[in-house]
Amino acid sequence: MSGPDRNQLEEGEELHLDFQKLRKVAMASAPVLPVAVQDAETGEVLILAYANEEAVRYTLEHGVAAFWSTSRDELWVKGATSGDTLQIIEVRVNCEQNSLLYLVKPLGKGACHTRTRDGRTRTGCYYRRVANGALEFVDEAMR
Amino acid sequence: MSGPDRNQLEEGEELHLDFQKLRKVAMASAPVLPVAVQDAETGEVLILAYANEEAVRYTLEHGVAAFWSTSRDELWVKGATSGDTLQIIEVRVNCEQNSLLYLVKPLGKGACHTRTRDGRTRTGCYYRRVANGALEFVDEAMR
């Protein structure tokens, strides 16, 4: 039985939560912690990604959001190829120091890698809500 | 060499990021995904926790934030013992459907398990920022 394809996952209205990703993340070569990324001005939670020690150091030194790409197993400076850089306003740490919150100012077109039907980069990744066991777009303009 | 104790981690101004927690989380009996929790009204990112399928189902059915306690390996209905319940306003999913965002209304005194020096429950866990390689309290009132 094959699962949903990428387009169904990203643009569909069916809920297919992937509970396996985190195990793959934890198996990456570098130990990482989760990072929630929030637009410092609008408050929108944009993305959730993972950072290892090198990525945290890069982020603090260069003032741009960097993560560890657990699929490519390499430093991922957000926007390095797309131009959608996230300027760091503040890096916060939780009580137990096992997760981070990057407060950012998006310098590009958005923070998500997906695009709307008419080709606009979505500002963030949380553009759908769960409703009655399915997904619906939070905002029709983000469809 | 022993690491920092709980009080140093939670109340201290030294940065001791724990990159090992996620591997322990991934080894829990149930596969989980990360959940960022945001106050729907103030926009404050309150906590980051983990949910398995059961916890997501509980959250959607009961309208209160539930997670999987990866340390106790059991369903964790936030506030069940402390009273600090988080009422669900909306559950959002990211593009790849491997993380969630709970938009909530806190019904208790706060979402963090830590307290300020004068005994107030902290609203959220991200009360310290990284500055010059150390931590500082974002708000003196949260110390």
Side-chain angles (χ1 to χ4, degrees), chain A residues 34-38 45 88 90-94 99-104, chain B residues 44-46 48 126 128:
Chain A
V35 184
V37 182
Q38 183 177 31
V45 174
I88 292 290
E90 205 165 282
V91 173
R92 294 197 188 172
V93 62
N94 74 329
S99 72
L100 293 173
L101 174 64
Y102 289 176
L103 293 173
V104 303
Chain B
E44 181 182 355
V45 175
L46 304 173
L48 193 148
Y126 297 93
R128 292 170 298 180

Side-chain angles (χ1 to χ4, degrees), chain A residues 9 14 16 18 23 26 28 34 38 43 50 90-95 97 99 125-130 135, chain B residues 9-10 14 16 18 23 26 28 34 38 43 50 90-95 97 99 125-130:
Chain A
L9 270 182
E14 279 181 36
H16 288 288
D18 175 3
R23 290 191 167 175
Q38 183 177 31
Y50 301 90
E90 205 165 282
V91 173
R92 294 197 188 172
V93 62
N94 74 329
C95 47
Q97 302 206 32
S99 72
C125 299
Y126 297 94
Y127 47 87
R128 292 170 299 179
R129 71 165 73 89
V130 183
L135 295 177
Chain B
L9 271 182
E10 295 181 349
E14 279 181 35
H16 289 289
D18 174 4
R23 289 190 169 176
Q38 183 178 30
Y50 301 90
E90 206 165 282
V91 173
R92 294 196 188 172
V93 62
N94 73 329
C95 48
Q97 302 204 34
S99 71
C125 299
Y126 297 93
Y127 47 88
R128 292 170 298 180
R129 70 165 74 89
V130 183

